[in-house]
Structures are given as structure tokens and as C-alpha cells.
Amino acid sequence: ELGENGSRACLFGANGKNYVSFEDGRDKDYNDLVLEVEGGVDILEEQIDLDYNVYTFAFEDRSLGDYDLNDVVVKAQRTGLTTVKYSLEACGGNDALYLRNISGRLLNGDTEVHGYFGVDTKSFVNTRENETRYLPVQESITVPSSFSFADEASQLYIYNATQGYEVHLAVAGQDPHAILIPYDWQYPVELTCVKDAYLEFNNWGQSRVDATDWFEHPEAGKVYTLSVFR
């Protein structure tokens, strides 16, 4: 017997459909009544601890831009309970851009992003395959033990001083002018829209349960292949 408090109903998925099955309390086979549910099942928020993955922060600096998501690219990896290694990899924007919510001795909000590479704001850094390869600017930064990439309070964002606004990671219902991928991502080359570099990007954008591996399938010749986090 299942006892007084034993569960007598369960929800499960099979073959792309959802079912609710019931047990009347005798043989525990949960087939005494089975209902197929065609709609109305909410997608539950699920957070998986991936903090020790390499993460890629990718930003589009203007509200109406080319959407190549390479105007600022920062990769990060938690290397210890209180240590995160950050790597400024690329800058494809022409505006004066500053990192925010990062407090290293080197990587912080004081230096314009192009300045880390010794170039002016009209220069492209590591977004064109056949041009000079700049070494990434890296620093290991101490963080609280409670740090999590999933926590909005811990997430990197940028400030566009030319346009006078901040660019944060997108939330539901917003255009993704900044995204965070738990992956060592190959970002699009200059002037290549992310949807053309990754053909499943729009499908994922329309439904977060579709094309969830879109970032693993770049189009040849449309992403910057030299970027390697190390």
C-alpha cells in the first residue's frame, strides 16, 4: 500500500506528449487512469550549476546595430570557490565602451575597452579573421563564495558612454542585446548577424525549449575561429 500520504498521481512526458497518470491505491502501477495533456503545462524554471564551465558574455552596443554580438566579448570561468578568471577577448564596437560590475585591478570600469588593447575606438579588435590577432586581456578576480553566473547581481554588463546607456543581459521579452552562454563560444565575425552565423538562433529566441544547442553549430566562415580561452 502507498500509505495515507503516498502520491497517487504523477506527470510525465513521452514521445513529445505530456501525461498525468493516477493510482487508486492498490497495485502501484499508476495506470488506473491516464490522461493525455495537450496544453496548459507550464515550463518550470530550472537552474543547473554550471559555474565551472567557460562562460561567454557577448554584447551588442547599440539598440539598432548589426547584431553581430561582438562589440564586447568577455569569457569567464570559475577556477575556485572564490576565484573567477575573466578574459576580455574582443571589441567590435566603435563607441566608447566600459565594463561594469567587475572589480579587478586590471579589468574594471575605469578603462575604455579599446584602451586595453592600445587602440582607438574606431578600431576592431579580434572580430576580423584576416587582421592582427590581439592577445586577450585576462585577470583572475576574487569573488564571494556565494558567487553565481546565474545571479543578476554578479553578472557583467557594459556602459556605452557615447550613447549614454547600459547594456545588461536580456530577460524574457527583451531583444537580446547581451547574452551569456555557458560555453567557449565562437562569436560572429564583424558585420555578420548572429542569426546568419547560427541558423537556429531565432528558433531558440522564440522558444527557449527549442534549438537549445544552437550555439554549438556555427556556419563556416561566419564566426571568429581564433578565439581560444586559456
Side-chain angles (χ1 to χ4, degrees), residues 2-172:
L2 293 173
E4 182 178 349
N5 297 317
S7 175
R8 288 173 169 77
C10 65
L11 173 67
F12 67 96
N15 300 320
K17 298 181 179 180
N18 296 305
Y19 299 91
V20 181
S21 63
F22 296 89
E23 170 58 45
D24 64 8
R26 292 177 294 183
D27 53 13
K28 306 178 186 178
D29 58 10
Y30 286 86
N31 66 5
D32 299 315
L33 178 64
V34 179
L35 302 177
E36 179 182 332
V37 181
E38 294 185 354
V41 178
D42 291 333
I43 300 172
L44 300 179
E45 293 288 347
E46 181 178 3
Q47 292 190 2
I48 302 173
D49 185 7
L50 299 174
D51 270 357
Y52 287 85
N53 283 20
V54 175
Y55 278 72
T56 303
F57 292 86
F59 296 90
E60 181 68 25
D61 65 349
R62 295 191 177 190
S63 57
L64 294 176
D66 50 21
Y67 230 79
D68 51 17
L69 288 174
N70 67 16
D71 295 329
V72 176
V73 178
V74 176
K75 296 188 178 180
Q77 183 178 32
R78 193 172 194 156
T79 56
L81 183 61
T82 59
T83 307
V84 173
K85 180 181 178 182
Y86 287 92
S87 180
L88 175 59
E89 299 271 323
C91 182
N94 289 146
D95 291 345
L97 306 173
Y98 292 83
L99 302 177
R100 290 289 185 263
N101 210 20
I102 185 170
S103 56
R105 290 186 176 182
L106 176 61
L107 294 173
N108 52 53
D110 296 334
T111 302
E112 198 281 322
V113 169
H114 295 83
Y116 284 110
F117 301 99
V119 300
D120 60 37
T121 58
K122 300 304 180 183
S123 300
F124 295 107
V125 177
N126 297 340
T127 62
R128 293 172 169 172
E129 288 275 26
N130 297 322
E131 296 187 358
T132 301
R133 162 66 172 161
Y134 292 84
L135 291 176
V137 180
Q138 300 181 336
E139 183 178 9
S140 292
I141 297 175
T142 301
V143 297
S145 59
S146 59
F147 176 93
S148 172
F149 286 109
D151 182 3
E152 183 178 355
S154 303
Q155 292 167 353
L156 181 75
Y157 64 95
I158 66 170
Y159 174 65
N160 185 326
T162 302
Q163 302 292 320
Y165 62 80
E166 298 172 348
V167 183
H168 293 259
L169 295 182
V171 298

